[in-house]
Amino acid sequence: MNTQAATACLPGKKHYDAVALIHRGIEEPLLGRLGHAEVQLCPQHPTRVDDELVDRLLADFPDTRFRLHASVRLRGNVESTGPGNRRVIHDASYVGDWRWFREAARLSRKLGATAYTVHAGRREHATLSEMRDNVSRLIDMFGCLVGVEGLYPERETWLIQDWKEYAWLLDSGLYFALDLSHLNIVARKTRCWEDGIMKEMLASDRCLEIHVSSNDGLSDRHLQLKDEPQWWALLSHANPKAVVFSEGCQARPDTQ
């Protein structure tokens, strides 16, 4: 399997440094060396994605196609704060005043990205139908494919958190990112593996990305893959056009 690296593999690093390390070569026990033909710029970093970073990445890594993921940090005047001056996490359920998404869309276009993926978000902010309407607006704004990443059961916090809602996503007409480690949590907490839904979603031409990492089924730990997880064989059904990204943390020795 040709697995590409997301910068989430190197949390806490500056975005540029993470990309440089990916190009130098990072490996996982099960996956081997991760590719850098596609690299996803993720939120787990202290630096902001801005014009200077984009220009450096495009100049220094011309063989890589970059795309943004979820609520990456952007320039300060488009970031929103909530209670306690905490940074607002932008997702498909909460769009705020759209400033953050307009800036993300501008930088995504500058990167030449062919896709952007966003978390489904919180139930307190939107219904599934409202979330879908938000994504339709994001597609027009980004000028590329926009996919929704589902989540998992956690005190009724998230949209797309169980098998019924993943089936809804499959039938919704939306593009999506399928995080198989999230589905491991869904399976553990619902005590049910829905291989049929997983196969259909993996094979769908609306599956833009497949995210892989390991966890114990209780929390999204982003561990490296050491042994084949239960969903491993299902990857044979994957849409060949979907990009597979590893999110396995290189800073953690505790692989699963």
Side-chain angles (χ1 to χ4, degrees):
M1 181 174 62
N2 185 15
T3 308
Q4 306 297 304
T7 62
C9 292
L10 295 155
K13 301 283 187 185
K14 295 178 180 180
H15 280 100
Y16 184 92
D17 293 345
V19 174
L21 286 169
I22 288 167
H23 273 254
R24 196 174 303 162
I26 60 175
E27 298 183 356
E28 291 192 32
L30 181 61
L31 301 175
R33 183 162 179 159
L34 302 181
H36 54 71
E38 306 266 1
V39 169
Q40 190 167 59
L41 303 176
C42 298
Q44 292 95 333
H45 308 279
T47 46
R48 301 178 187 275
V49 177
D50 56 16
D51 286 288
E52 180 181 358
L53 175 64
V54 168
D55 289 341
R56 286 187 72 195
L57 292 176
L58 293 177
D60 293 352
F61 307 105
D63 59 337
T64 295
R65 294 180 294 273
F66 294 98
R67 62 178 67 180
L68 303 179
H69 178 54
S71 192
V72 293
R73 293 179 181 274
L74 304 180
R75 56 189 171 90
N77 64 344
V78 300
E79 296 284 6
S80 304
T81 56
N85 206 34
R86 295 180 64 184
R87 176 174 172 260
V88 170
I89 303 300
H90 293 84
D91 54 45
S93 71
Y94 182 83
V95 294
D97 61 7
W98 295 96
R99 287 183 304 163
W100 185 92
F101 280 110
R102 282 197 292 269
E103 177 67 357
R106 184 184 71 82
L107 292 167
S108 177
R109 290 193 299 272
K110 186 170 183 176
L111 284 166
T114 58
Y116 166 68
T117 48
V118 61
H119 292 137
R122 293 177 174 267
R123 310 182 86 78
E124 65 183 293
H125 293 152
T127 64
L128 290 172
S129 178
E130 289 167 341
M131 182 270 290
R132 178 170 52 193
D133 291 342
N134 289 340
V135 174
S136 294
R137 185 168 176 180
L138 291 179
I139 292 170
D140 293 336
M141 190 177 295
F142 276 75
C144 67
L145 300 178
V146 175
V148 174
E149 182 178 346
L151 294 150
Y152 43 81
E154 188 178 54
R155 298 186 300 277
E156 292 296 314
T157 299
W158 308 117
L159 291 169
I160 316 295
Q161 67 158 15
D162 58 27
W163 294 116
K164 180 179 179 181
E165 291 183 348
Y166 273 94
W168 177 92
L169 180 59
L170 176 62
D171 294 336
S172 68
L174 294 171
Y175 288 91
F176 54 86
L178 194 63
D179 189 319
L180 295 176
S181 66
H182 289 179
L183 293 182
N184 189 53
I185 301 173
V186 174
R188 173 73 179 266
K189 294 194 173 183
T190 63
R191 299 182 182 181
C192 177
W193 276 94
E194 291 285 356
D195 284 5
I197 292 175
M198 295 175 72
K199 288 177 184 177
E200 284 190 67
M201 295 193 80
L202 285 166
S204 172
D205 60 5
R206 292 186 172 270
C207 181
L208 295 179
E209 297 171 2
I210 300 166
H211 297 180
V212 298
S213 63
S214 184
N215 60 49
D216 57 5
L218 299 176
S219 63
D220 192 21
R221 298 178 65 193
H222 281 201
L223 302 178
Q224 295 179 46
L225 287 163
K226 179 180 180 181
D227 301 314
E228 292 184 5
Q230 187 163 347
W231 44 259
W232 184 256
L234 299 178
L235 287 170
S236 62
H237 299 274
N239 171 13
K241 294 183 179 179
V243 182
V244 183
F245 286 112
S246 171
E247 296 181 321
C249 179
Q250 293 286 310
R252 294 176 183 164
D254 52 340
T255 54
Q256 287 280 101

